[in-house]
Amino acid sequence: MAKEPKAAGTTPDTGAPGKPAAATKRKKEFKKKRERRIVPHGYVHIAASFNNTQITITDTDGRVMCWSSAGAIGFKGSRKGTPYAAQQASLAAAGVARDQYGMKSVEVKVKGPGSGRESAVRALAAAGLHIVVIRDVTPIPHNGCRPPKRRRV
């Protein structure tokens, strides 16, 4: 019993010519376009550490709308902690908030000892956001943690 070679374009189950997969086409299901949320006023949280600067823009309820950081922009290593990197990250986040959400005015909350604090706030104003209030919310210990023991050499 020798096997006969099957003709090209036939399905393995039957000898009938095969139908292409595109012939059994379904209707495309379209999703409704999401409404553009307009948020005229929000908060900008700037976390400036020595190694990086993170900018988070939220609405008045605290829901994050957009964010950026010096590392997300593309800076690596010690350059992430520079004022220029903080400025670029702030410009990127403010641009998204202004264009996609229609944000006009913000309250700024700055936290941390980093060098990108002032430059990030200046960049927000340069991006076209009206700054209402600038608050420093850096946590200050009130005689909190016990200091490390004295170093012996």
Side-chain angles (χ1 to χ4, degrees):
M1 288 201 131
K3 289 188 178 180
E4 293 181 28
K6 292 187 179 181
T10 60
T11 56
D13 300 6
T14 62
K19 288 185 178 178
T24 57
K25 200 174 184 181
R26 293 183 186 169
K27 285 186 178 179
K28 282 191 176 180
E29 296 175 11
F30 291 103
K31 292 181 181 176
K32 277 190 176 179
K33 193 172 182 183
R34 195 168 56 134
E35 281 188 30
R36 210 179 101 178
R37 205 168 61 143
I38 302 297
V39 183
H41 182 75
Y43 292 101
V44 178
H45 302 271
I46 299 171
S49 70
F50 292 119
N51 298 321
N52 203 351
T53 303
Q54 299 161 344
I55 289 96
T56 307
I57 300 180
T58 66
D59 59 7
T60 52
D61 296 330
R63 291 180 294 214
V64 174
M65 295 180 344
C66 57
W67 64 272
S68 184
S69 71
I73 295 296
F75 291 94
K76 290 184 177 178
S78 61
R79 287 184 294 171
K80 289 192 298 186
T82 61
Y84 178 72
Q87 176 187 348
Q88 294 301 314
S90 190
L91 282 172
V96 172
R98 188 189 63 232
D99 297 338
Q100 287 189 4
Y101 296 98
M103 189 168 282
K104 291 180 175 47
S105 64
V106 292
E107 293 183 27
V108 180
K109 295 182 179 181
V110 185
K111 181 186 283 189
S115 61
R117 293 164 53 105
E118 285 80 24
S119 61
V121 174
R122 284 200 188 104
L124 289 172
L129 295 178
H130 179 255
I131 296 174
V132 180
V133 175
I134 301 172
R135 287 194 181 97
D136 188 4
V137 292
T138 304
I140 300 168
H142 298 281
N143 206 12
C145 295
R146 181 176 176 171
K149 62 183 180 181
R150 195 165 160 256
R151 188 167 171 257
R152 293 191 298 255
V153 179

